Amino acid sequence: MKRIMAPLHRTFSALSVPNFRLFFYGQSISLVGTWMQSVAQSWLVYSLTHSATALGLVVGIQTLPVLLLGPYAGVIADRTDKRRLMVVLQALMGVQALVLGVLAVAHVVTFWEVCVLAVLLGLNNTFENPARQSFVLEMVGGEQVRNAVSLNSTMVNAARAVGPAVAGLIIATAGVGICFLLNAVSFVAVVCSLIAMDKKALQPSKPTGRGKGQLREGFSYVAHEPRLGVPLLMMALVGTLAYEFQVSLPVLAKQTFHGGPETYGFLTAAMGAGAVVGGLITATRGKTGLRPLSIAALGFGVAVLCVSVSPVLGLAYGAMALVGWGSVSFLATGNTTLQLNSAPNMRGRVMALWAVAFLGSTPIGGPLIGWVIAATSARIGLGIGGVSALLAAGLGFAARAHLKARREAVDAADADAAIDARQGAGRPGVSPGTAPALAPRPASSS
């Protein structure tokens, strides 16, 4: 029994923290609605326009605020009470879903209205995302943060498994508007969970005071720390070209496999189901650093390429499950690596840059992949995403090898200096700890 319970305890250890447990349950309900809205919005746009380019445009403008304002949102997250900020922004996202639902149910919604509401949702996400990402550490502390991030990623993808499947069935039977209305109701759960938290049990980072150059300071901090800069570059590459499933999957479902909204929903749900399994494994055994991050990117890229060449729908479902596994491993490993390597007063800005790399790259990648799919096919668009993940893996492996070689060179230099110091200490006329002047060493043949 102990052999069975020990791995389970490790897998779900962060849930022993009451505040995180509240957060986890509230988010679980809300995220099902969020994925329902994501599927419904993509299907609504495609139904109104019959254009993959329009799909890419809506996805792009929804994430454009992240690209333009994401770094500044990190500064705000470092300055403010993250829990209070999340309560306000989550409530506003519920209002956005309600408005879109009413327009859709009344059958008066137009493409430009979807675009405006998508931008408003993007503005909320821009400021809520870095606050939420960095708030995890304040709930659970450093020892549990990797487990908490992995469980959070598992929760997101469990919702991805449930929400899209339910959305596909609801769209086919009751229409897209009901999905938006249900999402509006789901925000009540997450807002209530945040309000009900025990504030005394939180471990808030000391808010950063207002000052000049804080935005520039965040960029400089990341640029001079490879353990942060390289994962962000990898995420930017993958986020731009691989994470455009809202653009590629509706077209893959309708044009390639000649299906309807339920096919699109089940493709997304298969990805979520695979991610649940991958997330639980990551929560139990996951590691941080460039090597595991590069391995996750490699697996993710291979899986996306498998989807792009799947000849039948059944194989595509299976390959999408592998995509979910690789996706959650890559995201959870990258997220945790950044959080654990960031200074507490810089964490909000670092996680804002992570959001820029993940979501803020979509205004570039979404329309680009949409244009590629419109000119060729959904298979080509997915193939480009798979190749980008392989390139990111190569970048990570190369950076790790470079950093390892540099550490070894520094260690060797330190060892040589210590030997020289000891030799000098044993010679007449040389004070202990002072190395004598030596002739230059011949270049090593190795």
Side-chain angles (χ1 to χ4, degrees):
M1 181 63 70
K2 289 183 178 179
R3 292 181 179 180
I4 297 174
M5 295 304 296
L8 286 176
H9 177 73
R10 289 197 303 270
T11 300
F12 299 101
S13 60
L15 290 177
S16 63
V17 180
N19 278 339
F20 180 73
R21 193 161 58 242
L22 271 174
F23 174 82
F24 186 87
Y25 293 151
Q27 286 283 323
S28 297
I29 296 170
S30 179
L31 285 169
V32 171
T34 297
W35 281 112
M36 289 174 64
Q37 171 151 333
S38 177
V39 169
Q41 179 176 290
S42 292
W43 196 260
L44 175 62
V45 171
Y46 198 56
S47 299
L48 290 172
T49 65
H50 304 286
S51 168
T53 303
L55 268 174
L57 176 63
V58 172
V59 173
I61 63 174
Q62 181 170 317
T63 50
L64 184 61
V66 181
L67 178 63
L68 299 179
L69 300 174
Y72 180 69
V75 175
I76 297 299
D78 283 334
R79 287 179 180 174
T80 59
D81 183 317
K82 299 176 182 62
R83 186 184 64 90
R84 291 180 180 177
L85 181 62
M86 290 168 61
V87 167
V88 173
L89 294 177
Q90 292 276 355
L92 290 175
M93 284 190 274
V95 173
Q96 185 271 351
L98 178 63
V99 172
L100 186 54
V102 170
L103 290 173
V105 168
H107 301 290
V108 296
V109 65
T110 61
F111 177 64
W112 75 266
E113 289 170 335
V114 176
C115 290
V116 170
L117 289 169
V119 171
L120 293 176
L121 179 60
L123 281 169
N124 274 280
N125 279 327
T126 299
F127 289 89
E128 192 270 345
N129 197 286
R132 173 166 40 85
Q133 298 280 357
S134 52
F135 184 60
V136 172
L137 187 64
E138 296 187 4
M139 286 186 287
V140 302
E143 291 185 1
Q144 295 280 15
V145 68
R146 180 183 62 78
N147 183 263
V149 169
S150 298
L151 287 177
N152 196 51
S153 297
T154 302
M155 169 184 60
V156 170
N157 287 285
R160 188 202 297 262
V162 176
V166 174
L169 296 175
I170 290 177
I171 293 170
T173 56
V176 294
I178 301 300
C179 292
F180 301 131
L181 294 178
L182 289 174
N183 183 40
V185 174
S186 75
F187 280 103
V188 174
V190 68
V191 170
C192 288
S193 72
L194 290 167
I195 293 173
M197 284 186 180
D198 179 4
K199 292 185 287 185
K200 294 180 180 179
L202 295 174
Q203 305 171 46
S205 303
K206 184 178 180 181
T208 302
R210 292 179 178 272
K212 294 182 178 180
Q214 290 178 329
L215 184 60
R216 184 172 61 252
E217 183 185 10
F219 283 110
S220 177
Y221 177 65
V222 168
H224 289 87
E225 178 49 76
R227 293 177 301 171
L228 302 176
V230 174
L232 287 171
L233 286 175
M234 293 172 66
M235 185 69 254
L237 179 58
V238 175
T240 300
L241 298 174
Y243 278 104
E244 307 304 340
F245 299 113
Q246 286 179 275
V247 179
S248 57
L249 292 187
V251 184
L252 186 74
K254 192 164 188 176
Q255 292 188 0
T256 305
F257 293 119
H258 309 290
E262 66 281 358
T263 303
Y264 171 39
F266 284 125
L267 280 169
T268 309
M271 181 177 175
V276 170
V277 177
L280 291 174
I281 292 174
T282 303
T284 305
R285 301 180 179 178
K287 299 179 180 179
T288 59
L290 283 176
R291 184 175 183 274
L293 183 63
S294 301
I295 292 173
L298 179 63
F300 178 57
V302 171
V304 173
L305 288 175
C306 288
V307 176
S308 71
V309 299
S310 295
V312 295
L313 185 58
L315 289 177
Y317 285 148
M320 282 301 297
L322 295 177
V323 169
W325 187 321
S327 171
V328 74
S329 297
F330 179 72
L331 290 174
T333 304
N335 187 305
T336 310
T337 297
L338 292 179
Q339 293 224 42
L340 292 179
N341 289 320
S342 301
N345 66 321
M346 299 294 294
R347 192 171 294 119
R349 277 165 280 187
V350 172
M351 298 315 297
L353 292 176
W354 173 255
V356 170
F358 180 31
L359 298 173
S361 56
T362 301
I364 300 170
L368 177 60
I369 294 298
W371 176 80
V372 169
I373 291 174
T376 56
S377 69
R379 294 187 185 277
I380 299 299
L382 285 166
I384 291 173
V387 170
S388 73
L390 298 184
L391 292 174
L395 171 64
F397 283 124
R400 180 177 181 271
H402 174 72
L403 290 174
K404 183 178 179 181
R406 192 169 71 178
R407 282 197 305 270
E408 290 174 349
V410 171
D411 291 342
D414 290 343
D416 287 344
I419 292 172
D420 291 343
R422 286 197 297 270
Q423 290 175 343
R427 294 180 184 176
V430 179
S431 60
T434 305
L438 299 177
R441 295 172 182 237
S444 172
S445 58
S446 60

